[in-house]
mmCIF file of all heavy atoms in Angstrom:
data_model
loop_
_atom_site.group_PDB
_atom_site.id
_atom_site.type_symbol
_atom_site.label_atom_id
_atom_site.label_comp_id
_atom_site.label_asym_id
_atom_site.label_seq_id
_atom_site.Cartn_x
_atom_site.Cartn_y
_atom_site.Cartn_z
ATOM 1 N N ILE A 14 24.413 2.833 -1.451
ATOM 2 C CA ILE A 14 24.832 1.498 -1.097
ATOM 3 C C ILE A 14 24.108 1.045 0.155
ATOM 4 O O ILE A 14 23.598 -0.074 0.272
ATOM 5 C CB ILE A 14 26.348 1.464 -0.800
ATOM 6 C CG1 ILE A 14 27.056 1.586 -2.164
ATOM 7 C CG2 ILE A 14 26.772 0.270 -0.100
ATOM 8 C CD1 ILE A 14 28.621 1.687 -2.088
ATOM 9 N N PHE A 15 23.965 2.001 1.217
ATOM 10 C CA PHE A 15 23.256 1.480 2.411
ATOM 11 C C PHE A 15 21.696 1.295 2.134
ATOM 12 O O PHE A 15 21.139 0.495 2.666
ATOM 13 C CB PHE A 15 23.457 2.568 3.477
ATOM 14 C CG PHE A 15 24.815 2.556 4.121
ATOM 15 C CD1 PHE A 15 25.516 3.694 4.228
ATOM 16 C CD2 PHE A 15 25.294 1.300 4.542
ATOM 17 C CE1 PHE A 15 26.779 3.648 4.715
ATOM 18 C CE2 PHE A 15 26.601 1.279 5.059
ATOM 19 C CZ PHE A 15 27.357 2.374 5.110
ATOM 20 N N SER A 16 21.177 2.093 1.236
ATOM 21 C CA SER A 16 19.713 1.901 0.976
ATOM 22 C C SER A 16 19.547 0.639 0.236
ATOM 23 O O SER A 16 18.582 -0.037 0.453
ATOM 24 C CB SER A 16 19.184 3.132 0.152
ATOM 25 O OG SER A 16 19.808 3.258 -1.075
ATOM 26 N N TRP A 17 20.422 0.272 -0.781
ATOM 27 C CA TRP A 17 20.246 -1.019 -1.436
ATOM 28 C C TRP A 17 20.531 -2.130 -0.515
ATOM 29 O O TRP A 17 19.989 -3.229 -0.685
ATOM 30 C CB TRP A 17 21.243 -1.084 -2.667
ATOM 31 C CG TRP A 17 20.541 -0.455 -3.831
ATOM 32 C CD1 TRP A 17 20.827 0.786 -4.331
ATOM 33 C CD2 TRP A 17 19.437 -0.977 -4.608
ATOM 34 N NE1 TRP A 17 20.077 0.988 -5.481
ATOM 35 C CE2 TRP A 17 19.145 -0.037 -5.622
ATOM 36 C CE3 TRP A 17 18.763 -2.137 -4.561
ATOM 37 C CZ2 TRP A 17 18.133 -0.257 -6.550
ATOM 38 C CZ3 TRP A 17 17.791 -2.401 -5.496
ATOM 39 C CH2 TRP A 17 17.424 -1.539 -6.429
ATOM 40 N N MET A 18 21.487 -1.978 0.469
ATOM 41 C CA MET A 18 21.703 -3.045 1.483
ATOM 42 C C MET A 18 20.407 -3.306 2.196
ATOM 43 O O MET A 18 20.046 -4.492 2.583
ATOM 44 C CB MET A 18 22.850 -2.756 2.331
ATOM 45 C CG MET A 18 24.165 -3.061 1.725
ATOM 46 S SD MET A 18 25.629 -2.633 2.752
ATOM 47 C CE MET A 18 25.075 -2.889 4.416
ATOM 48 N N ALA A 19 19.730 -2.215 2.613
ATOM 49 C CA ALA A 19 18.516 -2.319 3.357
ATOM 50 C C ALA A 19 17.353 -3.111 2.490
ATOM 51 O O ALA A 19 16.685 -3.927 2.965
ATOM 52 C CB ALA A 19 18.017 -1.053 3.740
ATOM 53 N N PHE A 20 17.338 -2.666 1.279
ATOM 54 C CA PHE A 20 16.362 -3.329 0.355
ATOM 55 C C PHE A 20 16.711 -4.770 0.140
ATOM 56 O O PHE A 20 15.786 -5.577 0.036
ATOM 57 C CB PHE A 20 16.206 -2.646 -0.939
ATOM 58 C CG PHE A 20 15.359 -1.316 -0.879
ATOM 59 C CD1 PHE A 20 15.969 -0.152 -1.257
ATOM 60 C CD2 PHE A 20 14.157 -1.322 -0.340
ATOM 61 C CE1 PHE A 20 15.249 1.051 -1.175
ATOM 62 C CE2 PHE A 20 13.362 -0.188 -0.310
ATOM 63 C CZ PHE A 20 13.981 0.986 -0.671
ATOM 64 N N LEU A 21 17.903 -5.134 0.000
ATOM 65 C CA LEU A 21 18.295 -6.517 -0.387
ATOM 66 C C LEU A 21 18.586 -7.485 0.839
ATOM 67 O O LEU A 21 18.512 -8.667 0.582
ATOM 68 C CB LEU A 21 19.563 -6.471 -1.285
ATOM 69 C CG LEU A 21 19.318 -5.793 -2.605
ATOM 70 C CD1 LEU A 21 20.633 -5.626 -3.422
ATOM 71 C CD2 LEU A 21 18.334 -6.483 -3.454
ATOM 72 N N ILE A 22 18.874 -6.902 1.984
ATOM 73 C CA ILE A 22 19.318 -7.773 3.123
ATOM 74 C C ILE A 22 18.231 -7.782 4.204
ATOM 75 O O ILE A 22 17.804 -8.828 4.677
ATOM 76 C CB ILE A 22 20.627 -7.371 3.628
ATOM 77 C CG1 ILE A 22 21.672 -7.604 2.644
ATOM 78 C CG2 ILE A 22 20.956 -8.153 4.901
ATOM 79 C CD1 ILE A 22 23.083 -7.064 2.944
ATOM 80 N N PHE A 23 17.753 -6.614 4.591
ATOM 81 C CA PHE A 23 16.866 -6.525 5.776
ATOM 82 C C PHE A 23 15.333 -6.738 5.475
ATOM 83 O O PHE A 23 14.588 -7.260 6.259
ATOM 84 C CB PHE A 23 17.078 -5.211 6.534
ATOM 85 C CG PHE A 23 18.579 -5.007 6.905
ATOM 86 C CD1 PHE A 23 19.335 -3.970 6.427
ATOM 87 C CD2 PHE A 23 19.077 -5.901 7.818
ATOM 88 C CE1 PHE A 23 20.575 -3.816 6.916
ATOM 89 C CE2 PHE A 23 20.410 -5.791 8.173
ATOM 90 C CZ PHE A 23 21.150 -4.731 7.777
ATOM 91 N N ILE A 24 14.882 -6.120 4.373
ATOM 92 C CA ILE A 24 13.510 -6.101 4.078
ATOM 93 C C ILE A 24 12.932 -7.473 3.610
ATOM 94 O O ILE A 24 11.904 -7.916 3.978
ATOM 95 C CB ILE A 24 13.168 -4.973 3.039
ATOM 96 C CG1 ILE A 24 13.524 -3.614 3.760
ATOM 97 C CG2 ILE A 24 11.758 -5.045 2.561
ATOM 98 C CD1 ILE A 24 13.324 -2.471 2.895
ATOM 99 N N PRO A 25 13.649 -8.229 2.660
ATOM 100 C CA PRO A 25 13.049 -9.506 2.177
ATOM 101 C C PRO A 25 12.723 -10.494 3.240
ATOM 102 O O PRO A 25 11.639 -11.195 3.232
ATOM 103 C CB PRO A 25 14.094 -10.080 1.167
ATOM 104 C CG PRO A 25 14.816 -8.835 0.676
ATOM 105 C CD PRO A 25 14.841 -7.860 1.855
ATOM 106 N N PRO A 26 13.661 -10.688 4.283
ATOM 107 C CA PRO A 26 13.158 -11.686 5.411
ATOM 108 C C PRO A 26 11.884 -11.267 6.126
ATOM 109 O O PRO A 26 10.992 -12.047 6.481
ATOM 110 C CB PRO A 26 14.385 -11.722 6.297
ATOM 111 C CG PRO A 26 15.526 -11.315 5.505
ATOM 112 C CD PRO A 26 14.983 -10.301 4.546
ATOM 113 N N LYS A 27 11.749 -9.898 6.323
ATOM 114 C CA LYS A 27 10.504 -9.432 6.988
ATOM 115 C C LYS A 27 9.336 -9.660 6.061
ATOM 116 O O LYS A 27 8.206 -10.020 6.565
ATOM 117 C CB LYS A 27 10.639 -7.982 7.344
ATOM 118 C CG LYS A 27 11.703 -7.648 8.368
ATOM 119 C CD LYS A 27 11.721 -6.213 8.618
ATOM 120 C CE LYS A 27 12.628 -5.800 9.718
ATOM 121 N NZ LYS A 27 12.091 -6.019 11.027
ATOM 122 N N VAL A 28 9.486 -9.510 4.813
ATOM 123 C CA VAL A 28 8.313 -9.742 3.866
ATOM 124 C C VAL A 28 7.972 -11.279 3.812
ATOM 125 O O VAL A 28 6.784 -11.669 3.709
ATOM 126 C CB VAL A 28 8.611 -9.227 2.476
ATOM 127 C CG1 VAL A 28 7.539 -9.490 1.556
ATOM 128 C CG2 VAL A 28 8.722 -7.651 2.650
ATOM 129 N N MET A 29 9.005 -12.095 3.757
ATOM 130 C CA MET A 29 8.840 -13.485 3.577
ATOM 131 C C MET A 29 8.192 -14.219 4.887
ATOM 132 O O MET A 29 7.589 -15.261 4.727
ATOM 133 C CB MET A 29 10.143 -14.226 3.210
ATOM 134 C CG MET A 29 10.699 -13.686 1.906
ATOM 135 S SD MET A 29 9.506 -14.031 0.518
ATOM 136 C CE MET A 29 9.604 -15.750 0.336
ATOM 137 N N THR A 30 8.352 -13.536 6.029
ATOM 138 C CA THR A 30 7.771 -14.155 7.198
ATOM 139 C C THR A 30 6.386 -13.726 7.462
ATOM 140 O O THR A 30 5.817 -14.123 8.356
ATOM 141 C CB THR A 30 8.629 -13.800 8.426
ATOM 142 O OG1 THR A 30 8.676 -12.395 8.599
ATOM 143 C CG2 THR A 30 10.027 -14.326 8.397
ATOM 144 N N HIS A 31 5.748 -13.016 6.516
ATOM 145 C CA HIS A 31 4.396 -12.525 6.667
ATOM 146 C C HIS A 31 3.437 -13.715 6.457
ATOM 147 O O HIS A 31 3.681 -14.558 5.630
ATOM 148 C CB HIS A 31 4.079 -11.590 5.549
ATOM 149 C CG HIS A 31 2.716 -10.960 5.595
ATOM 150 N ND1 HIS A 31 2.291 -10.091 6.516
ATOM 151 C CD2 HIS A 31 1.618 -11.281 4.859
ATOM 152 C CE1 HIS A 31 1.011 -9.926 6.343
ATOM 153 N NE2 HIS A 31 0.579 -10.557 5.263
ATOM 154 N N LEU A 32 2.501 -13.799 7.347
ATOM 155 C CA LEU A 32 1.546 -14.978 7.381
ATOM 156 C C LEU A 32 0.314 -14.498 6.560
ATOM 157 O O LEU A 32 -0.244 -13.507 6.809
ATOM 158 C CB LEU A 32 1.132 -15.357 8.738
ATOM 159 C CG LEU A 32 2.301 -15.911 9.631
ATOM 160 C CD1 LEU A 32 1.774 -16.200 11.064
ATOM 161 C CD2 LEU A 32 2.845 -17.094 8.980
ATOM 162 N N TYR A 33 -0.096 -15.377 5.711
ATOM 163 C CA TYR A 33 -1.339 -15.224 4.943
ATOM 164 C C TYR A 33 -2.399 -16.043 5.586
ATOM 165 O O TYR A 33 -2.326 -17.182 5.646
ATOM 166 C CB TYR A 33 -1.173 -15.550 3.485
ATOM 167 C CG TYR A 33 -0.147 -14.742 2.717
ATOM 168 C CD1 TYR A 33 1.056 -15.170 2.455
ATOM 169 C CD2 TYR A 33 -0.496 -13.385 2.316
ATOM 170 C CE1 TYR A 33 2.084 -14.308 1.889
ATOM 171 C CE2 TYR A 33 0.395 -12.617 1.699
ATOM 172 C CZ TYR A 33 1.711 -13.095 1.513
ATOM 173 O OH TYR A 33 2.538 -12.317 0.811
ATOM 174 N N TYR A 34 -3.498 -15.353 6.088
ATOM 175 C CA TYR A 34 -4.503 -16.042 6.784
ATOM 176 C C TYR A 34 -5.563 -16.565 5.927
ATOM 177 O O TYR A 34 -6.485 -17.356 6.330
ATOM 178 C CB TYR A 34 -5.062 -15.205 7.902
ATOM 179 C CG TYR A 34 -4.083 -14.818 9.004
ATOM 180 C CD1 TYR A 34 -3.560 -13.659 9.124
ATOM 181 C CD2 TYR A 34 -3.718 -15.839 9.825
ATOM 182 C CE1 TYR A 34 -2.603 -13.372 10.042
ATOM 183 C CE2 TYR A 34 -2.788 -15.590 10.798
ATOM 184 C CZ TYR A 34 -2.244 -14.343 10.961
ATOM 185 O OH TYR A 34 -1.310 -14.128 11.938
ATOM 186 N N ASP A 35 -5.624 -16.219 4.678
ATOM 187 C CA ASP A 35 -6.678 -16.683 3.796
ATOM 188 C C ASP A 35 -6.066 -17.628 2.661
ATOM 189 O O ASP A 35 -6.367 -17.466 1.485
ATOM 190 C CB ASP A 35 -7.454 -15.515 3.144
ATOM 191 C CG ASP A 35 -6.460 -14.601 2.450
ATOM 192 O OD1 ASP A 35 -5.218 -14.689 2.638
ATOM 193 O OD2 ASP A 35 -7.040 -13.776 1.616
ATOM 194 N N ASN A 36 -5.223 -18.547 3.066
ATOM 195 C CA ASN A 36 -4.686 -19.508 2.163
ATOM 196 C C ASN A 36 -5.891 -20.437 1.598
ATOM 197 O O ASN A 36 -6.789 -20.855 2.302
ATOM 198 C CB ASN A 36 -3.726 -20.466 2.775
ATOM 199 C CG ASN A 36 -2.396 -19.710 3.080
ATOM 200 O OD1 ASN A 36 -2.074 -18.757 2.356
ATOM 201 N ND2 ASN A 36 -1.681 -20.183 4.049
ATOM 202 N N PRO A 37 -5.961 -20.657 0.349
ATOM 203 C CA PRO A 37 -6.926 -21.470 -0.237
ATOM 204 C C PRO A 37 -6.751 -22.922 0.111
ATOM 205 O O PRO A 37 -5.582 -23.441 0.277
ATOM 206 C CB PRO A 37 -6.756 -21.373 -1.752
ATOM 207 C CG PRO A 37 -5.435 -20.891 -1.936
ATOM 208 C CD PRO A 37 -4.997 -20.061 -0.710
ATOM 209 N N THR A 38 -7.800 -23.601 0.435
ATOM 210 C CA THR A 38 -7.728 -24.999 0.789
ATOM 211 C C THR A 38 -7.976 -25.853 -0.496
ATOM 212 O O THR A 38 -8.865 -25.556 -1.264
ATOM 213 C CB THR A 38 -8.824 -25.371 1.857
ATOM 214 O OG1 THR A 38 -10.172 -25.022 1.305
ATOM 215 C CG2 THR A 38 -8.597 -24.594 3.107
ATOM 216 N N PRO A 39 -7.168 -26.875 -0.628
ATOM 217 C CA PRO A 39 -7.359 -27.793 -1.817
ATOM 218 C C PRO A 39 -8.705 -28.548 -1.679
ATOM 219 O O PRO A 39 -9.047 -29.030 -0.561
ATOM 220 C CB PRO A 39 -6.163 -28.761 -1.753
ATOM 221 C CG PRO A 39 -5.674 -28.725 -0.348
ATOM 222 C CD PRO A 39 -6.111 -27.326 0.171
ATOM 223 N N GLN A 40 -9.335 -28.739 -2.732
ATOM 224 C CA GLN A 40 -10.596 -29.538 -2.804
ATOM 225 C C GLN A 40 -10.368 -30.755 -3.592
ATOM 226 O O GLN A 40 -9.582 -30.856 -4.439
ATOM 227 C CB GLN A 40 -11.726 -28.700 -3.515
ATOM 228 C CG GLN A 40 -12.008 -27.392 -2.752
ATOM 229 C CD GLN A 40 -13.086 -26.568 -3.570
ATOM 230 O OE1 GLN A 40 -13.390 -26.983 -4.639
ATOM 231 N NE2 GLN A 40 -13.567 -25.549 -2.909
ATOM 232 N N ASN A 41 -11.201 -31.807 -3.172
ATOM 233 C CA ASN A 41 -11.154 -33.045 -3.952
ATOM 234 C C ASN A 41 -11.907 -32.834 -5.246
ATOM 235 O O ASN A 41 -12.960 -32.401 -5.311
ATOM 236 C CB ASN A 41 -11.884 -34.163 -3.204
ATOM 237 C CG ASN A 41 -11.014 -34.695 -2.199
ATOM 238 O OD1 ASN A 41 -9.749 -34.575 -2.136
ATOM 239 N ND2 ASN A 41 -11.675 -35.276 -1.093
ATOM 240 N N MET A 42 -11.172 -33.184 -6.310
ATOM 241 C CA MET A 42 -11.735 -33.124 -7.672
ATOM 242 C C MET A 42 -12.652 -34.367 -8.027
ATOM 243 O O MET A 42 -13.465 -34.253 -8.829
ATOM 244 C CB MET A 42 -10.681 -32.928 -8.730
ATOM 245 C CG MET A 42 -9.928 -31.660 -8.632
ATOM 246 S SD MET A 42 -10.953 -30.228 -8.758
ATOM 247 C CE MET A 42 -11.415 -30.251 -10.457
ATOM 248 N N ASP A 43 -12.539 -35.406 -7.204
ATOM 249 C CA ASP A 43 -13.337 -36.532 -7.383
ATOM 250 C C ASP A 43 -14.763 -36.464 -6.955
ATOM 251 O O ASP A 43 -15.660 -36.914 -7.603
ATOM 252 C CB ASP A 43 -12.671 -37.816 -6.711
ATOM 253 C CG ASP A 43 -11.312 -38.118 -7.203
ATOM 254 O OD1 ASP A 43 -11.021 -37.772 -8.325
ATOM 255 O OD2 ASP A 43 -10.545 -38.617 -6.417
ATOM 256 N N ASP A 44 -14.956 -35.646 -5.938
ATOM 257 C CA ASP A 44 -16.286 -35.414 -5.314
ATOM 258 C C ASP A 44 -17.141 -34.388 -6.038
ATOM 259 O O ASP A 44 -18.339 -34.324 -5.947
ATOM 260 C CB ASP A 44 -16.182 -35.089 -3.905
ATOM 261 C CG ASP A 44 -15.584 -36.156 -3.081
ATOM 262 O OD1 ASP A 44 -15.611 -37.304 -3.574
ATOM 263 O OD2 ASP A 44 -15.154 -35.958 -1.909
ATOM 264 N N SER A 45 -16.430 -33.595 -6.799
ATOM 265 C CA SER A 45 -17.217 -32.491 -7.484
ATOM 266 C C SER A 45 -17.853 -32.974 -8.736
ATOM 267 O O SER A 45 -17.274 -33.760 -9.540
ATOM 268 C CB SER A 45 -16.262 -31.306 -7.793
ATOM 269 O OG SER A 45 -15.264 -31.742 -8.707
ATOM 270 N N LYS A 46 -19.094 -32.536 -8.907
ATOM 271 C CA LYS A 46 -19.894 -32.875 -10.158
ATOM 272 C C LYS A 46 -20.127 -31.612 -10.909
ATOM 273 O O LYS A 46 -20.324 -30.512 -10.312
ATOM 274 C CB LYS A 46 -21.164 -33.592 -9.754
ATOM 275 C CG LYS A 46 -21.003 -34.903 -9.137
ATOM 276 C CD LYS A 46 -22.407 -35.460 -8.991
ATOM 277 C CE LYS A 46 -22.556 -36.082 -7.581
ATOM 278 N NZ LYS A 46 -23.853 -36.525 -7.310
ATOM 279 N N MET A 47 -20.259 -31.712 -12.170
ATOM 280 C CA MET A 47 -20.635 -30.563 -13.001
ATOM 281 C C MET A 47 -22.217 -30.504 -12.994
ATOM 282 O O MET A 47 -22.846 -31.467 -13.329
ATOM 283 C CB MET A 47 -20.111 -30.778 -14.395
ATOM 284 C CG MET A 47 -18.608 -30.729 -14.499
ATOM 285 S SD MET A 47 -17.860 -29.149 -14.133
ATOM 286 C CE MET A 47 -18.449 -28.206 -15.450
#
Side-chain angles (χ1 to χ4, degrees):
I14 289 173
F15 288 129
S16 63
W17 274 105
M18 279 179 34
F20 282 124
L21 295 175
I22 295 172
F23 301 118
I24 294 175
K27 289 180 179 276
V28 172
M29 295 303 288
T30 58
H31 181 74
L32 297 176
Y33 295 102
Y34 293 108
D35 57 345
N36 286 334
T38 57
Q40 297 178 350
N41 283 338
M42 293 303 290
D43 298 334
D44 295 339
S45 64
K46 294 186 225 175
M47 295 292 291

